[in-house]
Amino acid sequence: VNDDEAQQLARARAGDGRAFEELLSPLVDPAFRLAMTMLKDRSAAEDVVQESALKAWRHLDRHRAQRSLRPWFLAIVANECRNVRRGRWWSVQRLAEVALGAAREDRWADRMDLDAALDRLPRHHLEVLSLYYHLDLPIDEVARVLGCSEGAARQRIHRALAALRPGMTLEVDG
Amino acid sequence: VTPEENELRRALELRSGTPSAEFRSRLTQSLGTRPAPPNLMPAVAFATAVVLTLTSVGILVAAGQLGRTRGAASGARVVSPISNATVIQLSTPSTNVAWALADHAHLYRSTDLGISWNQRSMPSDSGTKSVVSFIDDHEGWLLAPGSPTTHCQAGPADIWHTVDAGTTWARLGTQGIASSQCKNGIWFFDSRHGVVVAWDEVHAATIYRTFDGGKTWAATKLLPDPPNYQSAQGGVGYQVAWMKGFGANLYLGAAGTPYIYRSTDGGASWKWFTKVGSPETVMVTETRWLDLTVPGQAMESVNGGQQFHQYVSDFTTNSPGTTQFLFADARVGYATTGGSVQQTLDGGQHWVTVIPPEGRVITPSPSPSVSPSSIPMPTTVDLSAPSSSVVWALVAGQYLFRSTDQGNTWQRRTMPEFKAGGAAKAHITFVNDQDGWVFFVVETADCTTYQATPTRKSIPEGVQVYRTTDGAATWTLVDSAVQGQVSAGGLPLEQCKTAFDFSDPQHGLVGTTDLVSSYMWRTSDGGVTWTQAELPHPAGWVPGNDRPYSIKSSGGTEVVYAPGDVFESTDGGATWARVGGYPPPLVIVSPTRWLVIFPGSTSETLDAGKTWHDLPTDYHTDSTGFELFVFATDKVGYGTDLGKVMRTLDGGAHWELIKTSWP
């Protein structure tokens, strides 16, 4: 982190709400985009980002001072998305989605509908693709959000691509 | 950048969106005051207890339980179950969003199909019998009627508006609305267009329209009498019970009558449209109408109420009074009878109780007597594989099966019944073909709503533990967390229970979380008494991590996977240490052997995550998730796939589909 961010972090840890807001402001957009990609529901995404912001604010003392806030905060968002997806509501929804997905399998096969393929993609794959290709995070930050090594993060991106579309090969930097 | 990469970025962007300015504003407001960190909770609980001591000894007992909860001192949102309401008015602006006004005084919002409800603020003066109408999860209007004169000859009212989900309310006044007649209904169709209705006992109802979000109102013509109906003083003296809009077409039902009116000009003029069989007939869509009044004799129309035919629905109610039906879309609908609310997710065929929210039944309460010929697929399967030959399956949350030959053949066994009322999710764990446990747990969205508040009494029990020693022929209740009775060593009412495992007939573990910390509860007497240990927060810990997901007992070592960390205990669960981690999905086969199973490629570690290598596998699934893997031994394992069961006999390399339907 640069000096400015470090000072803001220090102030935020001391309870300065304005400093925390300034730190959080540029992170709201990627957080919301990640949540939307994961949940495909605006209300749920807003709730997740708000809940994540509160948790980050509450537990800011747990964040390592010398590290950027972005991957830490996005990791909270990703966790919240997983928690939502583990919820009962999502269980109901998932069954409905699966039935829908099965019905349009032929369409996907014929037209290579990428969006439909993303719908059918397991969410841990969707998460890593969103972090890397959508939010354009560098591989080290993807790894920190996922809580794994950079090598493991690259491996997960490759697996997600393979699951998304057999034969799809994209370069993974780093 | 390759074309494929561009295509992927574009597809991801299409799924995404940007936060609205209004959301950013709300977010800033919610961060206005730093939420109390968890370590302030004991102090908060103490203060709460002191205050409560002055008021009620009975409540003090509950306050003591608050002290036990290291739960989140809630920031902006507190889930507040609706309980003991005598009347509930709903507004359902979209599939996921529902607003409930309980007893005209307490406002709640759900954005998850009615599973959890957050209490929202009301205006400073909400009148005598207020009603609400919302157009989304944030913007809505509240009609606050004052005390009327005799026969509703005159009735004052006020109208309030919120754009931030009730955090703040603006008084709009009632410019253009006459003081005569009682105002009893408000409906908005978008941020500008809305309707207020008024009535008295001797005149026709008056309909007021607004085109500017409620700032000004104009009355339309009085409702005409239906054919062959002549009221004494110029109109039908009944109220408007409901109104529903489909573009410029508006429909309304006259309370207590079978008459339905339609406006094709946005409410400017109204004509008698049709007469239906029951005043409770509901418009699911403009063409599909349902009449579910008489159990077993439901009727459906698919041509806008012109003809009705028989329809199969399990809707029934034991609550006295009229039922008001309301559909959010073609599938999601609600039925309100007094203080209870039922919900359908399939257009009216099946209904479950959502208010009180603990009554929600995702998987219907188990009933041993039910013996289905086949269980609809896809469904859910929970597995417990205690040995190389024995595996148990809980299908659809209520049907229990046992196999003693590695899943080749299955026998139906009985399930205990959750007897605390309401809904609970069942989890199973077995240690052989005879000894096992069923945990019924009541779930809430934030795992902390069991706190000692007045609403807590609506949760009858947080957990019930049943045990069998005869292969699930009979069951005995061995522990339960009951409201108002804090057992010395029992599982707590608080905390979400998320992982369950017994290593032998006496020793077991239950993983819990309050979404701030996670805990492992252990028993050494078969589930009668339990002791808590907290999982440590590892370096780099992120809030929301570490909800216990799976437990594996092997050779005196207990391993818990709480995504994305793995914790280990070698003293029976008294103390825990982090031994490694990996993001989900991670399958713990043994304390040192873990798998990350993906279709077509599986990774394996034999040294607790220190080194990884590929494990060639033919595992394949078409599903989008929900896979559950359990390993009985290093070689024998099972996986679920939306109700289907797969098996591996070589540690995860080769998989075969062994069960595609139940029974």
Side-chain angles (χ1 to χ4, degrees):
Chain A
V1 296
N2 58 38
D3 288 346
D4 285 347
E5 192 176 356
Q7 286 178 5
Q8 278 183 324
L9 271 169
R11 292 208 312 272
R13 277 199 197 89
D16 184 340
R18 181 171 289 274
F20 181 72
E21 274 181 47
E22 288 171 1
L23 283 167
L24 189 70
S25 182
L27 307 182
V28 172
D29 185 70
F32 185 80
R33 293 165 71 200
L34 174 64
M36 274 292 287
T37 309
M38 295 287 290
L39 304 174
K40 222 177 173 183
D41 182 300
R42 178 168 283 272
S43 287
E46 288 183 350
D47 279 353
V48 156
V49 174
Q50 182 168 336
E51 205 62 47
S52 302
L54 288 166
K55 284 188 174 173
W57 186 212
R58 188 183 296 138
H59 299 287
L60 197 59
D61 55 335
R62 301 275 185 167
H63 171 254
R64 293 182 187 176
Q66 68 275 22
R67 289 198 164 183
S68 167
L69 195 65
R70 183 168 73 173
W72 187 75
F73 181 62
L74 292 179
I76 299 174
V77 173
N79 280 333
E80 286 297 311
C81 288
R82 290 178 203 137
N83 287 337
V84 168
R85 293 180 43 73
R86 273 194 288 264
R88 293 187 299 168
W89 167 67
W90 218 267
S91 303
V92 176
Q93 290 293 92
R94 293 303 302 161
L95 289 179
E97 283 181 27
V98 168
L100 185 66
R104 60 186 187 191
E105 190 170 2
D106 290 341
R107 187 173 74 98
W108 178 79
D110 292 337
R111 295 170 50 185
M112 298 294 282
D113 184 330
L114 198 52
D115 186 52
L118 287 170
D119 273 346
R120 293 170 51 81
L121 200 63
R123 267 28 187 195
H124 48 267
H125 287 331
L126 192 58
E127 178 184 335
V128 72
L129 292 181
S130 178
L131 292 171
Y132 190 68
Y133 288 107
H134 187 210
L135 303 187
D136 284 324
L137 297 192
I139 197 71
D140 63 320
E141 283 199 28
V142 173
R144 281 161 61 193
V145 173
L146 296 176
C148 62
S149 68
E150 292 182 24
R154 284 193 200 91
Q155 192 178 38
R156 295 196 63 181
I157 294 170
H158 282 300
R159 283 186 169 132
L161 290 171
L164 178 65
R165 184 181 293 179
M168 193 174 202
T169 53
L170 298 178
E171 290 296 319
V172 180
D173 296 334
Chain B
V1 178
T2 66
E4 279 193 320
E5 190 172 331
N6 270 338
E7 191 185 354
L8 175 57
R9 288 180 195 278
R10 194 161 46 244
L12 287 165
E13 190 60 40
L14 280 175
R15 302 174 62 86
S16 183
T18 54
S20 65
E22 195 256 334
F23 168 66
R24 281 182 175 274
S25 170
R26 268 192 296 123
L27 185 60
T28 302
Q29 285 179 14
S30 72
L31 296 173
T33 305
R34 186 173 192 172
N39 60 9
L40 291 182
M41 275 307 290
V44 173
F46 175 75
T48 306
V50 168
V51 171
L52 292 176
T53 302
L54 300 175
T55 57
S56 166
V57 172
I59 297 177
L60 181 59
V61 173
Q65 293 177 1
L66 176 61
R68 290 173 51 200
T69 308
R70 282 177 44 91
S74 182
R77 302 190 313 148
V78 176
V79 175
S80 300
I82 308 166
S83 62
N84 300 326
T86 56
V87 58
I88 291 176
Q89 184 239 328
L90 290 181
S91 178
T92 56
S94 65
T95 301
N96 298 332
V97 177
W99 292 81
L101 183 61
D103 293 332
H104 305 289
H106 308 289
L107 182 64
Y108 300 85
R109 180 187 67 168
S110 172
T111 57
D112 56 6
L113 278 170
I115 290 171
S116 61
W117 296 84
N118 306 323
Q119 185 160 13
R120 314 301 300 184
S121 299
M122 290 279 281
S124 54
D125 179 5
S126 57
T128 54
K129 287 191 174 180
S130 54
V131 288
V132 293
S133 177
F134 281 83
I135 57 171
D136 57 27
D137 57 344
H138 293 101
E139 185 170 14
W141 291 259
L142 182 141
L143 173 68
S147 298
T149 60
T150 308
H151 305 306
C152 272
Q153 292 173 343
D158 217 339
I159 295 173
W160 298 80
H161 179 219
T162 180
V163 293
D164 54 13
T167 303
T168 59
W169 289 89
R171 187 195 295 265
L172 298 180
T174 54
Q175 185 180 339
I177 297 179
S179 59
S180 59
Q181 298 191 310
C182 291
K183 286 76 188 175
N184 68 304
I186 188 169
W187 292 272
F188 267 81
F189 308 105
D190 58 38
S191 60
R192 292 187 298 124
H193 297 91
V195 167
V196 161
V197 294
W199 77 290
D200 63 50
E201 293 185 2
V202 292
H203 296 97
T206 305
I207 295 171
Y208 295 92
R209 291 193 299 158
T210 180
F211 302 97
D212 57 11
K215 296 184 182 70
T216 59
W217 299 83
T220 64
K221 293 178 181 175
L222 299 180
L223 284 181
D225 283 341
N228 305 319
Y229 190 106
Q230 183 64 53
S231 58
Q233 299 185 41
V236 182
Y238 42 56
Q239 305 177 30
V240 174
W242 55 263
M243 190 172 289
K244 192 156 174 107
F246 301 94
N249 289 355
L250 302 183
Y251 295 79
L252 67 82
T257 81
Y259 302 122
I260 290 178
Y261 289 80
R262 181 173 73 171
S263 169
T264 57
D265 53 11
S269 61
W270 292 85
K271 291 181 180 175
W272 179 83
F273 180 62
T274 191
K275 181 181 178 181
V276 292
S278 159
E280 297 172 21
T281 299
V282 59
M283 296 178 69
V284 180
T285 67
E286 192 164 11
T287 54
R288 182 167 179 265
W289 300 14
L290 289 177
D291 178 1
L292 307 177
T293 315
V294 184
Q297 299 178 37
M299 303 293 285
E300 178 189 44
S301 169
V302 293
N303 58 2
Q306 302 307 306
Q307 287 101 27
F308 280 83
H309 54 259
Q310 286 195 330
Y311 177 70
V312 177
S313 171
D314 63 8
F315 175 79
T316 184
T317 178
N318 294 323
S319 303
T322 304
T323 298
Q324 183 81 55
F325 294 92
L326 184 64
F327 273 78
D329 61 21
R331 292 190 307 155
V332 178
Y334 298 85
T336 309
T337 315
S340 79
V341 178
Q342 297 183 57
Q343 181 193 59
T344 179
L345 300 176
D346 58 8
Q349 199 172 354
H350 301 293
W351 296 82
V352 296
T353 300
V354 293
I355 294 177
E358 293 70 37
R360 178 64 180 264
V361 182
I362 289 296
T363 52
S365 293
S367 171
S369 60
V370 175
S371 184
S373 56
S374 66
I375 298 170
M377 301 285 277
T379 187
T380 58
V381 176
D382 187 15
L383 293 175
S384 177
S387 69
S388 60
S389 58
V390 176
V391 57
W392 293 79
L394 178 62
V395 183
Q398 57 180 322
Y399 306 115
L400 185 63
F401 295 88
R402 179 185 65 183
S403 173
T404 55
D405 56 6
Q406 295 186 329
N408 291 319
T409 61
W410 296 81
Q411 303 84 42
R412 177 86 191 280
R413 310 303 296 168
T414 63
M415 273 283 285
E417 246 181 303
F418 181 59
K419 294 177 180 173
K425 185 175 181 181
H427 302 265
I428 58 170
T429 173
F430 285 84
V431 294
N432 53 43
D433 63 343
Q434 298 295 317
D435 294 83
W437 293 257
V438 167
F439 291 80
F440 288 111
V441 298
V442 175
E443 294 181 340
T444 63
D446 67 353
C447 302
T448 58
T449 53
Y450 308 108
Q451 290 176 1
T453 68
T455 58
R456 178 175 172 160
K457 60 188 176 188
S458 67
I459 302 172
E461 297 196 27
V463 61
Q464 278 190 339
V465 184
Y466 283 87
R467 180 179 185 180
T468 181
T469 56
D470 56 9
T474 60
W475 291 89
T476 304
L477 181 67
V478 294
D479 183 33
S480 63
V482 183
Q483 164 60 26
Q485 302 173 25
V486 183
S487 59
L491 281 172
L493 190 66
E494 305 88 353
Q495 304 174 5
C496 286
K497 291 86 184 171
T498 55
F500 311 84
D501 184 72
F502 270 78
S503 55
D504 62 43
Q506 299 304 319
H507 297 89
L509 293 168
V510 170
T512 71
T513 181
D514 54 21
L515 297 187
V516 175
S517 288
S518 294
Y519 311 90
M520 297 304 298
W521 291 80
R522 64 186 186 278
T523 179
S524 56
D525 57 11
V528 178
T529 59
W530 298 82
T531 305
Q532 176 185 261
E534 184 175 352
L535 289 176
H537 287 178
W541 175 82
V542 170
N545 259 359
D546 305 339
R547 173 187 289 219
Y549 176 75
S550 61
I551 305 171
K552 184 73 181 177
S553 303
S554 179
T557 299
E558 316 284 352
V559 182
V560 173
Y561 179 48
D565 297 298
V566 180
F567 300 92
E568 185 179 279
S569 172
T570 54
D571 56 8
T575 58
W576 296 85
R578 183 182 184 274
V579 293
Y582 201 88
L586 184 72
V587 182
I588 305 290
V589 179
S590 73
T592 53
R593 181 169 182 254
W594 310 343
L595 297 177
V596 178
I597 301 175
F598 289 112
S601 66
T602 291
S603 295
E604 179 184 40
T605 176
L606 299 172
D607 51 15
K610 294 182 181 64
T611 59
W612 289 86
H613 56 267
D614 284 340
L615 176 70
T617 179
D618 58 8
Y619 167 69
H620 170 76
T621 177
D622 289 328
S623 87
T624 57
F626 265 25
E627 300 99 335
L628 165 73
F629 294 96
V630 295
F631 276 78
T633 68
D634 197 40
K635 299 295 183 188
V636 180
Y638 304 89
T640 69
D641 182 3
L642 295 170
K644 294 181 281 190
V645 176
M646 298 162 291
R647 178 181 66 192
T648 179
L649 299 176
D650 61 3
H654 301 294
W655 292 87
E656 58 180 324
L657 194 60
I658 60 171
K659 196 73 176 164
T660 57
S661 63
W662 300 89

